[in-house]
RNA sequence: GCCGAAGUGGCGGAACUGGCAGACGCGCCGGAUUCAAAAUCCGGUCCCCGCAAGGGGGUGUGGGUUCGAUUCCCACCUUCGGCACCA
């Protein structure tokens, strides 16, 4: 399907030349530059609008058709808002630290900075090719020292803060009150106390250590089979000193503030579930024959009378102490094999409960210790996780299915403490009901019993109401090269010394071997990150003391946690963002004038970042807010998730995928393998190299042009839905663009087409008073529809409305020049290259500048409603006829018109109308007996 | 297992707040143009019965509410996404 054919007319629609011409124009004139407050051409009178895409990781594979989907949507909104008189901030940058470039470096020795630069060059070229209206002067990369200087600066802000529970906010560490008894123990104790309160802290934590990759992985990077998501290497649990960020302190605020955000409910729900707040109680159980007690957390303190045994996690510190000598061998063996498996591997095969008895007993505090019911056995089992609550539970098999399952395996007693309803035939009963077998709680509902028992526990000092979260602190260090160095020094006495702001950026040292020091097997020595290879860099001497640099780097999330702030003022070299710029672009008002919680007015990207990126960025933002560095509570006021674009994968009988270049499509639509004629199966799947179903945007642009690619991606269906790419549909939108071109331009002469008539000529034509002109009415309706659809992000229906209008012009064979101009204006955000050219040709000598500088056209409310409407007439809810009546006809008039219709009269013959339902402009329903 | 979203022609999809189901595009069929084809323009196209006029059915399945249900309620099936022993 060669579109560049020498036999084409001289002035045929040529996407390629229009693209080149107008992109050069935009670049040269800096058409989409967004001035900041303080700039000479800044116009304070205009309202602001910040429209942001999730910035991409510039992978070696280049742009994927999934990228332009979201980028086109935001581009349409950005162009539309500019025409509506907003100052629009619309930017693009690169989330360019990350594992793929580093893996490539390990394999080839090519420095990740070089790979990254090449990939960025490709991405930039491809994005520019699509004509997005970014302010390219604001482009940034997280890997640029001028950028990561400030990532490191923010880390230091977090490091130098503590969380004040009373005021519920972060405060500078210098304001931390030091308890007297700590002060009394000396300087080192004070230092350790302070370090223990920081929002960034070092902790020995069990991590997912992957020897093959030489790095620690986050839980998300480990598969259910306990292997690395990247490369499928084995992953082991081992304790390692790691940087942690105290995100759990913000759990409540992160959950509460979701309320105010204009985000998809599904994303809010995912975040709430991830935070996983639960309310319950902590209860102390004394351990028999030991000077020890077990702290447990439960959401069901009301079932305390039903606790028949205890379970502690294999990692629990009390395990060794309380296990009786005769049980040591069994307990040790069990714990060892449980601890060695990753948490995920452990939970994956959770079918059958396992555990061992420690030989020890605890006293249930609701009974006197002399009472035989008080003494309950303590077991170790891997269904209790050390990382949640206190790592120990009271087991209540009567009201908890997991405990029930365990009790059945090991023959432990079961006591019901909630009366199940009549006919209940399940095992553990989780529902509400009157308490039984529970002494002073008997007869109370679940809520009443919880309240009463918590009061009872608190009065005796053996328990209290408590809140727990699934959310864990954020494991922040990675054993990698290609990330931001963490700007701290480790002193000879183990003290942590943060770098001074003046020492930033701490740049990555040059090394030529990017491999970490890999230990053999499961239990080799301490792994050392690749930065350890830079010997000169890794040690620093100050005042005669030798310090060791932190060798871990930050995770990829770090750079993406604040880039939206940097875009406001990307070249500022004395602040992470200038205050005026931050306030102008981030602070937005609601319609009712109250300040909005969050600054970015539209943040658009895929749902795969629904939890982690968005939660981490919100956390950093709140810390910056608490410390007075930013002016909004939340970073992203409105969030929108685009759906995934998938494509048909064609497989042969053996299940082997085949690409389009090997396939012929028969007339019946079936795909056959060209070589053998075998009919292939077709399934919509995620695009991937291995399935050979990846669509390359360059190919589409070469064949149909950037405007057609943009338009197709928007026309496919709702932005939020996942949709299949169908190569056969692309020519459809291309045809529409071509029809629009020919509507306005005569292909043979290059002059305006014969359809386009001047206003004077039109007014002389019979019956074309401007308001009565049916085309004028249709245009007003189209402008209204397109405007409203852009506002609600329904681009597919906006495009079909414009298609309908163009079809109507073809039928009319005539359009006034001012009408054609308005059509071009509303189409321009969607197909900017085509519309720039049409605008210039329509304006002729009156043309001054880019179509994007023109105001958005209005519609007249009077012209979008028809005076006469056709409505259906139903008889008892069944449509029998259609009548045309004035829009505002009253019920009697509508009824009379209906009765005059033969079909209606026929249906009503011999019957009485019991009820009439008339919705003006909609329908008339005559209900008969 | 739990939570969430979605199921509409041959295909992608449309239908505001319960009011004409299938807009728009693809594909297919027919016509015009052409020596011919491509391209283009015009028309048709949910299914079934019927030459037609006309009639019947229809939004995953089964029930319900309503004058009226793609839309609301209940149960179930399927697909996709998230979580997964969180006490």
């Amino acid at each position: 399907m060669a579109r560049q054919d020498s036999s084409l007319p001289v002035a045929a629609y040529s996407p390629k030349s229009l693209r080149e011409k107008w992109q050069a124009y935009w670049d040269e004139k800096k058409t989409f530059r967004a001035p900041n407050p303080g700039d000479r051409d800044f116009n304070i009178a205009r309202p602001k609008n910040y429209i942001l895409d999730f910035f991409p990781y510039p992978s070696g594979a280049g742009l994927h058709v999934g990228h332009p989907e979201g980028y086109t949507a935001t581009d349409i909104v950005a162009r539309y808002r500019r025409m509506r008189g907003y100052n629009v901030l619309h930017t693009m940058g690169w989330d360019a630290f990350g594992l793929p470039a580093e893996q490539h470096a390990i394999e080839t020795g090519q420095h990740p900075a070089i790979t990254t630069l090449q990939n960025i060059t490709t991405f930039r070229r491809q994005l520019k090719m699509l004509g997005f209206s970014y302010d390219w002067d604001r482009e940034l990369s997280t890997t640029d020292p001028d950028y990561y200087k400030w990532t490191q600066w923010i880390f230091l802000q977090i490091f130098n803060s503590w969380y004040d529970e009373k005021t519920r906010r972060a405060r500078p560490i210098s304001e931390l009150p030091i308890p007297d008894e700590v002060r009394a123990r000396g300087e080192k104790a004070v230092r350790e106390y302070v370090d223990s309160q920081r929002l960034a802290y070092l902790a020995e934590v069990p991590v997912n250590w992957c020897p093959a990759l030489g790095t620690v992985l986050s839980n998300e990077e480990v598969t259910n089979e306990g292997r690395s998501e990247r490369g499928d290497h084995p992953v082991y649990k081992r304790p390692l000193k790691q940087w942690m960020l105290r995100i759990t302190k913000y759990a409540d605020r992160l959950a509460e503030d979701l309320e105010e955000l204009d985000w998809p409910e599904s994303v809010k729900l995912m975040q709430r579930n991830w935070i996983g707040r639960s309310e319950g109680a902590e209860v102390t159980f004394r351990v028999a024959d030991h000077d020890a007690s077990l702290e447990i957390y439960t959401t069901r303190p009301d079932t305390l009378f039903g606790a028949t045994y205890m379970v502690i996690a294999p990692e629990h510190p009390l395990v060794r102490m309380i296990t009786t000598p005769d049980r040591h061998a069994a307990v040790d063996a069990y714990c060892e094999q449980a601890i060695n498996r990753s948490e995920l591997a452990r939970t994956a095969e959770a079918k059958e409960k396992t555990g061992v008895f420690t030989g020890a007993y605890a006293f249930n505090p609701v009974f006197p210790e002399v009472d035989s019911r008080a003494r309950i056995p303590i077991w170790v089992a891997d269904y209790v996780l050390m990382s949640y609550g206190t790592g120990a539970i009271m087991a209540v098999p009567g009201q908890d299915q997991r405990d029930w399952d365990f009790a059945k395996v090991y023959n432990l007693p079961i006591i019901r403490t909630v009366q199940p309803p009549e006919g209940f035939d399940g095992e553990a009963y989780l529902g509400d009901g009157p308490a039984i077998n529970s002494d002073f709680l008997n007869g109370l509902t679940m809520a009443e019993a919880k309240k009463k028992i918590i009061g009872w526990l608190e009065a005796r000092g053996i328990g209290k109401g408590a809140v727990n979260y699934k959310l864990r602190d954020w494991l922040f260090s990675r054993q990698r090269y290609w990330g931001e160095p963490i700007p701290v020094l480790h002193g000879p006495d183990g003290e942590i010394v943060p770098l001074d702001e003046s020492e930033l950026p701490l740049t990555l040292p040059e090394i030529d071997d990017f491999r970490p020091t890999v230990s053999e097997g499961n239990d080799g020595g301490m792994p050392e990150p690749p930065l350890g290879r830079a010997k000169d860099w890794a040690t620093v001497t100050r005042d005669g003391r030798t310090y060791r640099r932190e060798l871990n780097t930050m995770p990829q999330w770090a750079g993406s946690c604040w880039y939206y702030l940097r875009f406001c003022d990307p070249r500022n070299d004395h602040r992470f963002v200038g205050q005026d710029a931050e306030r102008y672009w981030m602070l937005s008002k609601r319609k009712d004038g109250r300040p909005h919680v969050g600054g970015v007015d539209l943040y658009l990207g895929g749902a795969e970042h629904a939890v982690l990126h968005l939660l981490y960025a919100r956390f950093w933002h709140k810390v910056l807010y608490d410390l007075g560095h930013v002016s909004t509570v939340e970073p992203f006021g409105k969030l929108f998730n685009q759906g995934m674009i998938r494509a048909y994968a064609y497989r042969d009988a053996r299940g082997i995928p085949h690409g389009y270049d090997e396939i012929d499509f028969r007339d019946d639509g079936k795909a056959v393998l060209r070589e053998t004629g075998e009919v292939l199966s077709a399934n919509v799947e995620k695009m991937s190299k291995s399935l050979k179903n990846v669509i390359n945007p360059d190919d589409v642009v070469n064949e149909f042009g950037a405007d057609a690619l943009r338009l197709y991606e928007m026309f496919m269906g709702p932005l939020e839905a996942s949709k299949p790419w169908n190569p056969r549909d692309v020519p459809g939108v291309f045809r529409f663009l071509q029809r629009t071109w020919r509507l306005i331009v005569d292909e043979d002469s290059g002059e305006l087409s014969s359809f386009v008539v001047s206003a004077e000529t039109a007014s002389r034509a019979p019956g074309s008073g401007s308001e009565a002109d049916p085309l004028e009415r249709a245009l007003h309706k189209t402008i209204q529809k397109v405007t409203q659809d852009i506002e609600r992000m329904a681009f597919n229906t906006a495009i079909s409305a414009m298609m309908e209008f163009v079809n109507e012009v073809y039928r009319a064979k005539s359009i006034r020049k001012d009408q054609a101009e308005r059509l071009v204006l509303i189409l321009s955000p969607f197909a900017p290259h085509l519309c720039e050219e049409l605008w210039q040709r329509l304006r002729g000598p009156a043309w001054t500048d880019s179509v994007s500088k023109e105001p958005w056209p209005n519609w007249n409310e009077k012209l979008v409603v028809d005076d006469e409407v056709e409505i259906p007439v139903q008889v008892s809810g069944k449509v029998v006829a259609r009548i045309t009546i004035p829009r505002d006809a009253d019920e009697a008039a509508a009824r009379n018109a209906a009765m005059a219709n033969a079909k209606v009269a026929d249906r009503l013959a011999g019957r009485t109308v019991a009820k009439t339902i008339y919705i003006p402009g909609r329908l008339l329903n005559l209900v008969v007996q």
Side-chain angles (χ1 to χ4, degrees), chain A residues 1 64-65 645-652 656-666 669-675 678 680-697 699-700 703-704 712 716 723-731:
Chain A
M1 240 184 273
H64 180 273
V65 286
I645 297 184
R646 301 187 298 164
Y648 280 95
Y650 298 94
R651 287 193 170 89
D652 62 25
I656 297 172
H658 293 277
Y660 285 109
D661 49 342
E662 306 169 70
I663 295 173
D664 281 330
F665 289 93
R666 291 200 318 223
K670 288 250 172 17
V672 297
L673 195 57
R674 188 169 306 136
E675 218 171 285
E678 179 184 349
L680 303 171
S681 71
N683 273 303
V684 175
E685 295 185 60
K686 216 178 210 170
M687 287 189 195
S688 80
K689 251 190 223 160
S690 61
L691 290 172
K692 297 190 177 173
N693 63 345
V694 175
I695 307 286
N696 181 348
D699 297 342
V700 182
E703 197 171 346
F704 298 100
Y712 174 60
M716 289 173 81
K723 322 160 265 282
W725 183 278
N726 185 353
R728 298 218 274 183
D729 284 344
V730 183

Side-chain angles (χ1 to χ4, degrees), chain A residues 91-113:
Chain A
T91 49
M92 180 48 69
W94 320 107
D95 188 16
F97 277 127
L99 206 46
E102 182 157 344
Q103 277 301 117
H104 189 253
I106 291 169
E107 286 155 24
T108 66
Q110 165 143 280
H111 197 286

Side-chain angles (χ1 to χ4, degrees), chain A residues 48 50 52 254 261 263 561-562 564-565 585-586 588 596-603 613-622 630 632-638:
Chain A
K48 72 95 185 181
Y50 188 177
L52 184 65
L254 288 169
L261 295 174
W263 283 22
C561 265
W562 72 284
Y564 59 93
L565 290 170
W585 292 115
M586 291 297 288
S588 55
H596 199 280
V597 283
V600 175
D601 299 281
L602 174 62
Y603 191 36
H613 160 61
L614 291 169
L615 199 65
Y616 292 153
R618 292 179 63 218
F619 163 52
W620 276 36
H621 193 90
K622 285 181 187 299
V630 297
T632 66
V633 183
E634 285 282 335
F636 315 116
K638 182 183 170 79

Side-chain angles (χ1 to χ4, degrees), chain A residues 205-209 236-240 519 522-527:
Chain A
V205 288
V207 296
N208 304 299
W209 166 241
Y236 304 93
K237 278 266 151 170
R238 71 196 312 328
L240 212 56
S519 53
N522 184 5
D523 56 354
M526 279 296 281

Side-chain angles (χ1 to χ4, degrees), chain A residues 369-670:
Chain A
E369 291 188 1
V370 291
D371 190 318
S372 64
R373 291 173 294 173
R375 207 174 141 88
I376 57 176
I378 305 173
W379 286 66
V380 177
D382 66 3
Y383 81 92
V384 170
L385 310 174
M386 191 60 220
S387 50
Y388 184 77
T390 61
I393 61 155
M394 65 172 194
V396 188
Q399 274 76 229
D400 185 292
Q401 189 60 40
R402 295 157 301 184
D403 296 344
W404 176 288
D405 294 341
F406 190 81
K408 282 290 171 195
V409 174
Y410 295 102
N411 246 326
L412 293 156
I414 297 170
I415 301 169
R416 287 198 191 277
T417 58
V418 178
Q419 181 65 56
E422 199 87 11
F424 175 74
D425 60 354
E427 298 178 332
Y429 174 65
L430 280 62
D432 203 351
I436 53 171
N437 300 322
S438 296
D439 196 346
F440 57 88
L441 299 179
N442 283 343
L444 301 179
T445 64
M446 203 194 287
E448 292 164 348
K450 276 184 189 175
K451 210 173 150 200
K452 188 159 184 185
I453 188 77
I454 289 173
W456 187 90
L457 290 165
E458 283 174 350
R460 278 158 191 76
I462 49 172
K464 59 175 196 287
V467 171
N468 239 306
Y469 305 92
K470 285 201 245 182
L471 183 70
R472 316 280 161 84
D473 275 342
W474 176 9
L475 194 152
F476 194 68
S477 33
R478 297 295 129 94
Q479 292 66 49
R480 292 175 188 161
Y481 174 77
W482 197 229
E484 300 87 348
I486 295 175
V488 299
L489 299 172
H490 299 272
D493 298 332
E495 74 268 34
I496 300 159
V497 182
L499 294 191
D500 188 77
E501 201 179 313
S502 63
E503 299 173 276
L504 302 182
L506 171 60
T507 51
L508 282 165
E510 289 304 320
I511 57 175
D512 47 22
D513 183 352
F514 301 94
R515 285 172 303 160
T517 311
V518 177
S519 53
E520 294 300 315
N522 184 5
D523 56 354
M526 279 296 281
E528 191 172 82
L531 284 183
R533 294 179 187 273
K535 299 285 181 224
D536 292 346
W537 181 87
T539 48
V540 180
T541 309
R542 277 187 188 174
D543 304 328
R545 286 162 67 89
T546 305
Y547 294 83
R548 196 164 163 72
R549 283 203 197 277
E550 171 64 52
L551 299 181
N552 288 301
T553 53
M554 300 188 197
Q556 199 180 350
W557 306 112
S560 58
C561 265
W562 72 284
Y563 73 110
Y564 59 93
L565 290 170
R566 189 66 181 169
F567 274 139
C568 297
D569 194 12
R571 304 291 172 252
N572 195 322
D573 53 13
H574 49 271
R575 224 172 166 274
F576 75 113
V577 56
Q579 279 177 301
D580 288 347
E582 187 272 333
R583 241 178 253 139
Y584 180 70
W585 292 115
M586 291 297 288
L587 210 52
S588 55
K589 293 268 197 315
R590 296 171 208 257
K591 288 208 181 78
D592 62 10
R594 286 183 301 145
H596 199 280
V597 283
V600 175
D601 299 281
L602 174 62
Y603 191 36
L604 195 141
E608 66 274 16
H609 293 298
V611 178
L612 296 179
H613 160 61
L614 291 169
L615 199 65
Y616 292 153
R618 292 179 63 218
F619 163 52
W620 276 36
H621 193 90
K622 285 181 187 299
V623 176
L624 291 170
Y625 174 78
D626 287 354
L627 299 176
H629 297 310
V630 297
S631 47
T632 66
V633 183
E634 285 282 335
F636 315 116
K638 182 183 170 79
L639 175 74
F640 197 96
N641 289 130
Q642 84 212 44
M644 200 192 307
I645 297 184
R646 301 187 298 164
Y648 280 95
Y650 298 94
R651 287 193 170 89
D652 62 25
R654 288 174 303 165
I656 297 172
H658 293 277
Y660 285 109
D661 49 342
E662 306 169 70
I663 295 173
D664 281 330
F665 289 93
R666 291 200 318 223
D667 283 350
D668 62 1
K670 288 250 172 17

Side-chain angles (χ1 to χ4, degrees), chain A residues 26 75 79 131 707 710 827-836 851:
Chain A
W26 297 332
D75 194 58
R79 287 172 179 272
D707 286 333
R710 293 168 57 113
L827 181 59
S828 66
F830 298 81
H833 309 90
L834 169 70
C835 291
E836 287 283 19
V851 67

